[in-house]
């Protein structure tokens, strides 16, 4: 069976502690109340006896004056006297009115000729209990609040520790990934340089090939370093402090223009789909953003389409919606197999490692895209295009 996490345990213990505090206070109140009641009923029994004795001589018919006077005295004392029955049946019922009221405790005593009932008001007998009740309730609430505060402090601390551990783990993974990424080009460069160093006998064509390989690997290393720096900068930044108004429609047009040659060389055409104003001109789409980063994210997506999709066309589209803008790069190429889709935006994740290595990809491109989108209060997502192809979307907050 799975062991409960420390937070679940702390929460359960806090909840149990609160219940235990209330149960203990509730129990203490009950015991206190019972003690007070037993004191009160002892006092009540003595007084009732007295009242019964006082009224034990038979009264003349209609001579209720004495009883009434006695009842009045009782009432002035805050007590209630009821003469329940006499030699001629019921004499008085509820002298003092409100007989049977819950706010009294009663003692009934048949003595001499009459049976009487004396009641003491509950608030008099139980006043200390009510005060204690309030005190206990207050103490209970205070302890519950204190326990909750302790729980929240522990919870916050645990969340912080968990976050620190996550960062620690992430750093470890990141360093391992980076080292792994560095190893392949460095091994290639070292091998080629070794061959070139003692390769006086190497034919010029082979030398040229080795030199080209060194250059290719060096470029790869440079790209990798740039990407890692980009990601690190994005991580460090984490806010939109220096965003400025920029026209995203301009960014789309400029990116399409900048990459059109590269696309053409790969046999691809880049199209744009922009919103139009009533005048027929492209509608501007002003958003507070870091234009350079948005352009970088869009370029990453277009370059991916050029490198991986195998399609003859890629379309960049821009849409403005309530509170955000949506940029998308869509192609009808090979698409991304389902089992890879959920991990596409992870650092160093590649669908086809061999093809990525060939094209110089490090698997950081989409991670950078997502970081940029998130920095802008949005996100980056992938959706497949039927019958085959990819659609990568970036949303940017436009508030
Ligand atoms: P890299 O930086 O190596 O280009 P990315 O993070 O940008 O890596 O992309 C991750 C993987 O997603 C790539 O290895 C590639 O296989 C796949 N991919 C990205 N865009 C497309 C696309 N338009 N069509 C097909 N596969 C793609």
């Amino acid at each position: 069976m799975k062991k409960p996490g420390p937070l679940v345990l702390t929460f359960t213990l806090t909840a149990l502690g609160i219940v235990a505090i209330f149960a203990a206070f509730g129990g203490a109140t009950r015991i206190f109340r019972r003690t007070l009641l037993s004191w009160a009923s002892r006092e009540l029994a003595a007084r009732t006896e007295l009242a019964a004795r006082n009224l034990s001589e038979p009264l003349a018919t209609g001579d209720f004056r004495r009883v009434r006077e006695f009842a009045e005295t009782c009432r002035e004392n805050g007590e209630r006297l009821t003469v329940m029955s006499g030699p001629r049946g019921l004499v008085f019922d509820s002298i003092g009115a409100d007989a049977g009221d819950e706010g009294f405790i009663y003692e009934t005593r048949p003595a001499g000729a009459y049976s009487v009932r004396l009641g003491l008001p509950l608030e008099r007998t139980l006043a200390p209990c009510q005060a204690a009740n309030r005190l206990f309730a207050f103490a209970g609430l205070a302890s519950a609040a204190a326990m909750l505060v302790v729980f929240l402090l522990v919870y916050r601390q645990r969340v912080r520790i968990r976050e620190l551990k996550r960062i620690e783990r992430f750093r470890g993974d990141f360093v391992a990934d980076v080292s792994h990424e560095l190893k392949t080009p460095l091994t290639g460069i070292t091998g080629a340089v070794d061959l070139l160093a003692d390769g006086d006998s190497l034919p010029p064509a082979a030398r040229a090939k080795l030199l080209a390989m060194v250059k290719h690997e060096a470029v790869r290393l440079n790209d990798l370093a740039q990407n890692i720096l980009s990601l690190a900068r994005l991580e460090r930044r984490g806010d939109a402090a220096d965003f400025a108004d920029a026209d995203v429609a301009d960014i789309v047009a400029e990116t399409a223009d900048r990459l059109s040659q590269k696309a053409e060389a790969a046999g691809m055409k880049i199209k744009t789909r922009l919103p139009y104003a009533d005048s027929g001109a492209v509608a501007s789409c002003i958003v507070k953003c870091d234009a350079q980063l948005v352009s970088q994210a869009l370029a990453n997506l277009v370059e991916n389409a050029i490198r991986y999709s195998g399609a003859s066309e890629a379309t960049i589209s821009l849409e403005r919606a309530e509170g955000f803008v949506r940029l998308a790069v869509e192609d009808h190429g090979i698409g991304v197999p389902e089992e890879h889709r959920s991990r596409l935006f992870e650092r160093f994740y590649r669908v086809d490692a061999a093809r990525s290595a060939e094209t110089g990809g490090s698997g950081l491109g989409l991670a950078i895209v997502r970081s940029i989108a998130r920095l802008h209060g949005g996100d980056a997502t992938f959706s497949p295009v039927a019958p085959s192809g990819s659609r990568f979307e970036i949303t940017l907050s436009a508030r």
Side-chain angles (χ1 to χ4, degrees):
M1 211 170 71
K2 206 178 152 218
K3 253 174 66 182
L7 271 183
V8 177
L9 216 61
T10 320
F11 182 76
T12 314
L13 286 178
T14 309
L16 283 177
I18 292 172
V19 170
I21 284 174
F22 276 105
F25 283 155
T29 315
R30 261 196 302 280
I31 293 170
F32 192 45
R33 185 188 163 90
R34 221 175 293 139
T35 315
L36 284 177
L37 277 175
S38 88
W39 285 344
S41 53
R42 237 173 288 145
E43 187 199 332
L44 195 57
R47 282 155 168 257
T48 319
E49 178 117 24
L50 193 73
R53 229 180 292 137
N54 235 316
L55 296 169
S56 62
E57 288 166 30
L59 296 166
T61 314
D63 179 12
F64 303 133
R65 202 173 47 85
R66 241 178 70 219
V67 180
R68 202 172 281 286
E69 273 172 11
F70 192 72
E72 274 309 315
T73 321
C74 291
R75 202 194 330 233
E76 276 159 23
N77 284 342
E79 297 153 359
R80 174 178 298 161
L81 177 75
T82 314
V83 181
M84 294 173 74
S85 58
R88 290 181 204 96
L90 193 69
V91 178
F92 287 104
D93 190 16
S94 311
I95 293 177
D98 301 337
D101 190 308
E102 284 299 306
F104 279 77
I105 59 164
Y106 292 100
E107 176 75 30
T108 308
R109 189 141 304 208
Y114 299 94
S115 72
V116 293
R117 211 150 76 109
L118 192 69
L120 287 182
L122 269 184
E123 69 260 22
R124 217 170 83 197
T125 50
L126 293 179
C129 190
Q130 277 158 352
N133 254 344
R134 272 195 293 273
L135 190 75
F136 284 166
F138 176 74
L141 280 177
S143 333
M147 289 194 83
L148 265 180
V149 169
V150 170
F151 170 74
L152 287 178
L153 287 177
V154 170
Y155 179 77
R156 218 176 61 172
Q157 196 60 16
R158 292 216 69 93
V159 168
R160 213 176 285 164
I161 291 172
R162 212 189 292 163
E163 181 59 14
L164 285 176
K165 277 190 182 157
R166 195 189 63 79
I167 292 172
E168 196 65 29
R169 219 175 20 245
F170 171 78
R171 276 209 190 118
D173 289 352
F174 191 67
V175 169
D177 285 338
V178 170
S179 317
H180 180 77
E181 292 299 322
L182 290 174
K183 239 165 89 181
T184 322
L186 282 177
T187 312
I189 290 174
T190 319
V193 169
D194 281 347
L195 283 174
L196 284 167
D198 50 29
D200 283 348
S201 53
L202 276 178
R207 287 178 72 83
K209 205 169 159 195
L210 283 171
L211 280 171
M213 188 189 130
V214 170
K215 178 151 187 223
H216 175 78
E217 296 298 359
V219 168
R220 235 177 103 179
L221 279 177
N222 190 38
D223 287 349
L224 179 65
Q226 296 287 356
N227 280 339
I228 291 172
L229 277 176
S230 284
L231 264 180
R233 248 183 258 127
L234 283 166
E235 294 266 298
R236 255 205 315 273
R237 216 167 119 169
D239 65 37
D242 50 357
F243 283 7
D245 279 347
D247 189 345
V248 185
D250 278 352
I251 297 177
V252 171
E254 178 271 324
T255 310
D257 200 39
R258 182 159 47 93
L259 294 174
S260 62
Q261 254 189 331
K262 197 172 185 177
E264 263 165 41
M268 177 183 263
K269 214 167 142 45
I270 298 174
K271 285 188 168 174
T272 56
R273 201 183 306 135
L274 298 169
Y276 284 90
D278 292 339
S279 64
V282 171
S284 58
C285 182
I286 308 291
V287 170
K288 261 203 185 338
C289 64
D290 182 322
Q292 220 177 332
L293 286 182
V294 175
S295 169
Q296 183 186 348
L298 195 58
N300 278 7
L301 295 182
V302 176
E303 282 182 336
N304 276 356
I306 298 172
R307 267 193 291 198
Y308 304 116
S309 74
S312 57
E313 200 175 278
T315 308
I316 311 175
S317 59
L318 169 65
E319 269 176 77
R320 187 163 196 140
E322 186 54 42
F324 64 91
V325 294
R326 185 187 292 119
L327 282 162
V329 176
E330 194 174 309
D331 65 64
H332 291 272
I334 57 168
V336 175
E338 189 158 359
E339 65 272 25
H340 295 285
R341 289 176 193 161
S342 63
R343 302 194 59 193
L344 271 182
F345 292 90
E346 284 177 22
R347 284 150 207 264
F348 299 109
Y349 191 79
R350 302 167 176 112
V351 172
D352 179 347
R355 180 149 172 70
S356 255
E358 205 178 283
T359 54
S362 57
L364 287 176
L366 290 176
I368 291 173
V369 171
R370 179 165 270 179
S371 287
I372 293 175
R374 288 187 175 166
L375 181 69
H376 286 80
D379 208 347
T381 52
F382 165 85
S383 49
V385 170
S388 127
S390 311
R391 179 180 167 90
F392 288 90
E393 267 184 23
I394 307 173
T395 48
L396 309 172
S397 168
R399 296 205 182 278

